[in-house]
Structures are given as structure tokens and as C-alpha cells.
Amino acid sequence: MTETRDVALPDTSELYYPDPALVEQSNVMAYARSKGFNSYDELYQWTISHREEFWADMASQLEWFKPWDKVLDDSNKPFYQWFVGGKTNIVYNAIDRHLKTWRKNKLALIWEGEDGSQRTYSYYQLNYEVSRIANVLKSMGVKKGDIVTIYMPRIPELMFSMLACAKIGAAHSVVYGGFSEAALADRLADAKSKVLITADGGYMRGKVVELKKIVNEALSRTPTVQTCLVFRHTNHGAPMEQGRDFWMHDLLGLPIANGHCPTEEMDAEDMLFILYTSGTTGKPKGVVHTHGGYMVGTYTTLKFVFDIKDEDRYWCAADPGWITGHSFIVYAPLINGATSFMYEGAPNYPYPDRWWSMVAKHGITILYTAPTAIRGLMRFGDLWPSRHDLSTLRLLGSVGEPINPEAWKWFYEKIGHGRCPIMDTWWQTETGHFMITPTPAVPLKPGSATRPFLGIEADVVHEDGSPCAPDEDGLLVIKNPWPGMMRTILNDPQRYVEGYWQKVPPYYAAGDSARKDKDGYIWVIGRLDDVIKVSGYRLGTAEVESALVSHPAVAEAAAIGLPHEVKGNAIHAFVILRAGYEPSHDLEEKLRAHVGHELGPIARPDSITFVTSLPKTRSGKIMRRVLRARALGLPEGDVSTLEE
Ligand code: ATP
Ligand code: MG
């Protein structure tokens, strides 16, 4: 696990200091001062020594029908419980609370369709739409504790439907709208949903994706579903089945679907939703989250990391169908009373400047996206962003994979014009909210998610739990419970215990490998499954890929290890070239030499294949296990989340 390395480590001395005015005016420093601290570090130390007090402080900024009796109950580890005895509903804090203030007239959501159409909703209207859908669900017999599956394109009704479920105490299980019929059927069966909410179709790159057709096929294999509620979006004549399928616009026209619906009182520990992990490393896990702790954790992390202010126009460009969307498109922005932007379609449709034109058009101040999107847009060159006024931006963000320093710098220079710090947030479906992340008060290092968030103790350790030396590779663990942590895996509590808590007891094992540098900055190397061992040396796929991406010809790269008689493993890389470069044997040699030069000869790939796409999860992560299986001629395993 921890051999010393003779490959070059990234230069970890390079620091980017945030603008002092930004630090001074940040939410996190305002909180620090209110606690009598002058620095972020002092505040962090206090949150570690007073963890429960810190989270209770945050929880008390929100509204509860009944306050909690105990902040943390750890009597049945690892089944931790938070805000025990408290009664609330996340929707009460996301919507109802704002209706009592001027924010009822504030925009909650600005939505732009791929065709350029636009819709906006104030908090007041949001409540109206959500309440009507909630009333329809109730009339269809949906009750507290049921799990409703949602399979929708990226339209406002996706968000409304999630909130409608939570409002009446039903849990939602959102299945990303790009998934296949088999993936949908598996998840419907696992959740035993009786009700499915969907739409006739969605748009992607100008074409209609016929969701309802996919739904019909999935439903032919999932007998539990009795009712299918269908929003009309593409209006292309979706096939409906009498008795089972209902048009939402018909139901929403009935008197029962009025704009008043009480928000159900929930126990802090009642289930809010289940969500399946991305499936990057194997069969997706149905992660369970609850109302109370998740509400407090997502609220706090967004407020302090993205520094949400009333004047902001915040855009998280993920899909609501994965955890980033659940936490940081739907729940946390609303709890913070923010104005969010949502875009339906592809980033490069009709041209590669679509995103930049929308930043300018809507005056976006915060843009939170993923390395895959950054690399994808970087590939088209600098001219596209340079044509647009991006001066409203003040903060940028990244999530999903380690961000290659080259992509970080492009994002920082060409999009943020050197003014906007990048919040590289490390977290997981399982963690619910940010765990390792800068705030505007933390100096940045490109490619590092920096340091644990307030109240979080993250570390890099050996298999026996002892801490690694600075720059030594090890296992990434979280040492203490946090409010938004998953509570279990649906139908498989044993997998929860064994998969996360028995690997490096008593810590939470994230399943990622990482390094911590001498400044305490954490560098996530990649999934443990993806680490390549060459001649006894451990290499992270991320470092080989970043070395490739740092060459001007390379837009994107994936590295895998394949068995090798002498070295144990040999590195094979797959490379997508930037616009203007052509594959050649000569270029392959140059790239191999480049990696050797950057990281040391041991890391030089044995071969490089030029490709035009890489297998990725629907959330945009490279599925190296699929590349490996294909190269070895083996079955590809669970590919329910593969996008191609
Ligand atoms: P599965 O668990 O099914 O294999 P997954 O791990 O991709 O899927 P997610 O919960 O969507 O499912 O992703 C969490 C993982 O994403 C982390 O464990 C980490 O490997 C990676 N990740 C997320 N954010 C970052 C980041 N900022 N830097 C580095 N890695 C990140
Ligand atoms: Mg995972």
C-alpha cells in the first residue's frame, strides 16, 4: 500500500491566494468573526473540538417543527443518527420558510431550454407548482414512506416533482433521464415503486429523446408500478397506456390539484431519498439520505463554500439526477434562498460557446461544473469563451474527478480571468455534501481539493489506520460522522457496514486513494480500484492522465493498467486530441516521452490509442474498468450507467 515512489510528485508549492476583499466579505469569515475568530484556521480548529456545537449552530439557522433532543446519537455505530427527536421537513426550509419573507418574490429558478426558450419561477410560484403536484400525488394514493421513482429530462418539473414527494413525506428515487430501459427497470424493482413520474421526452442536441417509450419497455418488466404520471414537454405523441398512464397537465387542471398543500412533519431521521451511485467502479448502490442531517449539511456547505448571497445567480451545471444535482441544484440552493439557473441541453449546442453565452445572458456569478465538461470545452479552443462577457463570474467550482492542473488553469484563466477562485469539492453520493473543499478563505493549489470542510476530519492512512507520512500514498478516510452522511444502503445494510466501515475501522473508508502534502492539502489520486502498480510502484490514473493532458495536443486521456509479465502491469493510455491535431505514430512517441519526462520513466505508457470518445458514466466520469475489460476481451460488468 505504501511503497516509496520514484515518480515525480506534482509541484505542491504553487499557491493561489484569494482576493482579500472576497475573503473579508465571505459568509465563512462572517461566521468566524461572529464566533470571535480572526482566521479560517482558528474557526476550523474550533469546529473540530466542538463538532456537535458547530452543527447544532448551523441547524438552528433553519426551522424545526420541534427541536432535536440530541445532536448526534452514536449508540449504534455505524448507524449514526443526527438531530434525534427533531421534527422538520427539508421542503419547509427550502420553500415555505421563504414565503414568510420578501424572498417569496425572489426568483428561485431560471430555466433555459436547449431551443433557447426560457421559464422563471419565484419562490411563491415554486410553492404553487410543487403543491399542485403534491396534491396530485396524494390523490394517486402516495403516502409518507412510499418511494416514488422519477425519470425526467432536465426541466423544472423534475425539481418540482422531487420537492413534491418530500413535501408529503414520500421518498424519491431519481433515475437519470439518460439511462436505459434496463437501468430504469432495475432501480424501479429495487425501490419497489408503485408510482413513476416521467415526461414524454427531452431534447438533446436538437433531437427528441423518447423517454416515454423507454419507460413503457421498463414498465413491461416491473409489475410494481401501478401509476405513471407523464409531463408533456416535447409533445411528439408519446405512447400512453389506458388506466396506468396519466397526463400531468390533465391532472393539474383538476380542482384537487390546487396550490395549497400542507408540508408533512417529518422526523429528522425519516428517509428523504434514495439515489444510486454513479457506477464508476461496479454495481450502483442505493444510498439512503434523510431529512434532518442532509438538510443541515447541504445548507452549510453551500453557504460557506460557494458563499451564496442574495445577489448571486448560481449555476450548478450538473444534472439533478445525480447527487450533485440533488444537493446543489435542488436542495441547498433553495434552503439558502438562492436564485439558480438550470439549462436543459448539451454544452456545445448549437455551438461550443453555448455555456459562455448563457453566463453572459443571465449574469451568472457562480459556475459549478465537472472536469469532464471543462476538458470538453477546452478542446474547442480559447476563442469561444473570449467572445463573451464573463465578468459577472466571481466563483467557479469543480466536482466528480480529480481536476487535471492543466484544465484547472484553463478554467481559472480563460473563464475566471484570474479573478475567480475554483472550489474543487471532493465528496460522494454517500457523503451527501462537500467533505474536502476550499472555501473562499483558503489558498488554492491546482488539482487539490485542499482541506477538510469545517467539522470534518479527513486523513490519508495506511490499512491499519495509522497516518501516512506527507506525500505518501494511502487510503482516504473520514474520521468522524457528519450530518449528511448516508444512513444505509437500501435493502443491503450489510454492504453499508462492510463496504465503508470495516475496511479501515473505525473510520469511514471512501474507497479513494490520496496523498496529503506537508501543508495538509489532500490530493485525491483516484479510486483504489484504478491504481496501477508498475514494477512495484503505485501510480494513480489521475497523475498519468494529467501528465498527458498537460501536452498541448491532448484534450482528454484515460490510463489503465494491463497485466505484464515483467512489470506486473503496463500502462495503456487512450487519448482524445485537441482540435487541430492528427493521430500519428510520431505523436504517440512524443506523448509517451512527455509522460516519461513529467512523471519519470516508470510512468511512460507502453502504448497509446487515439480515440474520439471515452466510456463514461452518465455523470461524466471515465469508466476505466470498461476500458480494461474491453482491452482484455472480458465481459464489461455492470454498464447500466454507461454513456456512449
Ligand atoms: P461508484 O461508487 O458506483 O463506483 P462513483 O464513486 O463515481 O460511483 P459518486 O458518488 O458520483 O459515485 O462519486 C464519488 C467519487 O467521485 C469519489 O469517491 C471520487 O473518486 C470522485 N470525486 C468526486 N469529487 C472529486 C474531486 N473533487 N476530486 C477528486 N475526485 C473526486
Ligand atoms: Mg463511489
Side-chain angles (χ1 to χ4, degrees):
M1 186 72 251
T2 55
E3 299 91 48
T4 46
R5 309 158 50 93
D6 72 347
V7 289
L9 290 168
D11 174 12
T12 61
S13 56
E14 194 179 15
L15 278 170
Y16 285 65
Y17 284 92
D19 175 2
L22 182 76
V23 180
E24 182 63 25
Q25 289 157 23
S26 66
N27 289 340
V28 75
M29 288 312 294
Y31 179 64
R33 286 191 298 268
S34 78
K35 291 277 150 192
F37 302 119
N38 292 317
S39 74
Y40 181 75
D41 290 354
E42 284 171 70
L43 173 66
Y44 174 77
Q45 289 310 334
W46 175 80
T47 63
I48 297 304
S49 55
H50 296 75
R51 188 175 22 255
E52 291 178 32
E53 199 178 325
F54 165 63
W55 289 116
D57 220 10
M58 292 297 124
S60 61
Q61 296 181 6
L62 300 173
E63 292 188 23
W64 297 76
F65 300 123
K66 177 183 168 286
W68 55 92
D69 304 317
K70 203 170 189 318
V71 177
L72 171 65
D73 179 352
D74 58 2
S75 57
N76 182 26
K77 292 174 188 163
F79 297 95
Y80 296 92
Q81 299 201 317
W82 284 84
F83 305 107
V84 184
K87 299 261 185 221
T88 187
N89 185 313
I90 196 165
V91 174
Y92 193 85
N93 281 293
I95 304 178
D96 306 30
R97 179 166 79 103
H98 303 308
L99 305 182
K100 297 183 274 184
T101 72
W102 66 272
R103 283 200 190 86
K104 72 176 179 200
N105 291 327
K106 182 178 172 176
L107 287 185
L109 181 66
I110 304 168
W111 176 86
E112 188 168 313
E114 203 184 58
D115 64 1
S117 57
Q118 197 176 307
R119 290 198 259 155
T120 56
Y121 297 87
S122 65
Y123 276 87
Y124 187 87
Q125 285 172 296
L126 175 66
N127 180 58
Y128 177 76
E129 299 296 339
V130 169
S131 298
R132 292 189 332 138
I133 298 170
N135 281 326
V136 168
L137 291 175
K138 275 191 181 169
S139 75
M140 290 290 169
V142 175
K143 289 185 306 296
K144 197 166 173 169
D146 289 352
I147 303 176
V148 174
T149 297
I150 302 177
Y151 181 67
M152 298 265 279
R154 213 177 301 154
I155 56 176
E157 287 76 9
L158 166 51
M159 183 175 189
F160 303 162
S161 300
M162 292 164 70
L163 293 160
C165 290
K167 187 176 177 64
I168 61 171
H172 52 74
S173 167
V174 178
V175 178
Y176 174 70
F179 281 162
S180 67
E181 155 245 323
L184 174 60
D186 285 354
R187 288 162 181 70
L188 278 165
D190 195 45
K192 299 185 191 64
S193 283
K194 292 204 274 287
V195 174
L196 171 66
I197 308 178
T198 187
D200 51 357
Y203 293 103
M204 195 43 89
R205 296 198 167 81
K207 293 203 187 69
V208 171
V209 182
E210 297 198 45
L211 286 186
K212 185 59 175 50
K213 231 172 157 172
I214 300 170
V215 163
N216 285 2
E217 284 165 34
L219 291 190
S220 69
R221 304 206 267 130
T222 37
T224 58
V225 178
Q226 294 157 358
T227 308
C228 178
L229 305 171
V230 189
F231 283 100
R232 190 168 64 193
H233 179 53
T234 50
N235 205 8
H236 66 277
M240 300 286 279
E241 196 183 288
Q242 269 266 290
R244 183 194 69 192
D245 302 348
F246 300 86
W247 284 110
M248 264 304 213
H249 59 268
D250 287 340
L251 300 176
L252 290 169
L254 300 174
I256 174 78
N258 65 60
H260 296 278
C261 174
T263 301
E264 195 73 30
E265 270 194 25
M266 303 299 284
D267 215 90
E269 282 295 315
D270 278 338
M271 178 157 72
L272 170 62
F273 65 82
I274 60 166
L275 182 66
Y276 295 86
T277 56
S278 305
T280 314
T281 54
K283 188 175 156 38
K285 307 160 270 266
V287 167
V288 173
H289 284 287
T290 58
H291 274 258
Y294 176 83
M295 168 177 91
V296 174
T298 53
Y299 161 73
T300 308
T301 49
L302 187 68
K303 179 180 170 126
F304 288 155
V305 174
F306 282 105
D307 196 40
I308 296 290
K309 307 267 170 62
D310 268 322
E311 309 80 59
D312 279 312
R313 285 206 165 177
Y314 161 84
W315 180 16
C316 169
D319 191 277
W322 63 298
I323 192 66
T324 303
H326 278 54
S327 300
F328 297 111
I329 294 178
V330 179
Y331 290 111
L334 294 176
I335 300 170
N336 277 283
T339 298
S340 280
F341 175 69
M342 188 195 287
Y343 166 59
E344 173 184 32
N348 57 347
Y349 187 84
Y351 300 109
D353 62 347
R354 178 61 187 266
W355 271 22
W356 319 128
S357 74
M358 292 189 299
V359 167
K361 177 176 170 190
H362 298 286
I364 302 298
T365 59
I366 302 169
L367 173 60
Y368 182 30
T369 181
T372 180
I374 298 166
R375 291 188 303 254
L377 291 168
M378 183 168 95
R379 194 173 150 188
F380 297 112
D382 303 348
L383 212 56
W384 293 101
S386 76
R387 293 191 177 112
H388 297 276
D389 174 10
L390 306 179
S391 63
T392 50
L393 288 171
R394 67 182 195 94
L395 280 175
L396 300 172
S398 172
V399 61
E401 294 176 287
I403 181 166
N404 321 91
E406 204 62 28
W408 193 100
K409 285 177 192 159
W410 185 83
F411 199 33
Y412 187 77
E413 297 295 342
K414 304 296 175 200
I415 307 305
H417 297 288
R419 286 180 289 108
C420 311
I422 299 174
M423 301 296 115
D424 179 358
T425 60
W426 179 91
W427 59 296
Q428 307 179 298
T429 309
E430 297 90 334
T431 70
H433 48 77
F434 311 146
M435 300 300 282
I436 304 171
T437 174
T439 67
V442 173
L444 306 173
K445 296 189 183 191
S448 166
T450 75
R451 301 191 322 225
F453 184 73
L454 303 176
I456 306 292
E457 275 183 292
D459 206 354
V460 178
V461 301
H462 302 123
E463 263 156 29
D464 65 4
S466 59
C468 288
D471 291 338
E472 188 187 5
D473 302 9
L475 309 167
L476 182 60
V477 297
I478 312 293
K479 293 186 161 174
N480 286 295
W482 62 98
M485 65 199 302
M486 74 163 139
R487 297 304 192 260
T488 188
I489 290 176
L490 190 73
N491 304 327
D492 203 352
Q494 202 50 34
R495 195 170 172 197
Y496 169 68
V497 177
E498 285 167 8
Y500 300 92
W501 298 97
Q502 290 182 346
K503 298 251 154 88
V504 196
Y507 303 145
Y508 170 87
D512 284 0
S513 68
R515 274 194 289 276
K516 193 162 86 171
D517 70 21
K518 59 178 184 354
D519 301 325
Y521 278 56
I522 293 176
W523 298 75
V524 175
I525 304 173
R527 288 80 195 336
L528 285 170
D529 306 27
D530 283 342
V531 169
I532 310 174
K533 204 166 173 180
V534 184
S535 308
Y537 295 98
R538 295 163 41 77
L539 281 163
T541 47
E543 44 198 342
V544 179
E545 291 159 9
S546 288
L548 283 163
V549 172
S550 73
H551 189 279
V554 179
E556 228 180 332
I560 58 168
L562 293 178
H564 185 277
E565 283 174 21
V566 183
K567 300 193 252 189
N569 278 291
I571 299 172
H572 288 251
F574 298 81
V575 161
I576 301 179
L577 294 175
R578 287 211 205 198
Y581 289 90
E582 293 297 326
S584 70
H585 179 68
D586 187 44
L587 184 56
E588 179 182 347
E589 285 312 306
K590 280 194 181 128
L591 293 178
R592 291 179 59 225
H594 177 71
V595 177
H597 176 73
E598 294 288 302
L599 291 174
I602 197 98
R604 194 201 331 256
D606 273 31
S607 68
I608 292 177
T609 310
F610 295 103
V611 293
T612 51
S613 71
L614 290 167
K616 287 187 181 170
T617 63
R618 295 284 174 163
S619 52
K621 300 175 202 215
I622 299 168
M623 285 168 107
R624 296 178 193 80
R625 68 180 166 92
V626 170
L627 285 170
R628 214 155 34 228
R630 283 179 190 168
L632 296 171
L634 297 171
E636 293 183 1
D638 190 309
V639 286
S640 63
T641 67
L642 178 69
E643 168 167 70
E644 228 157 2

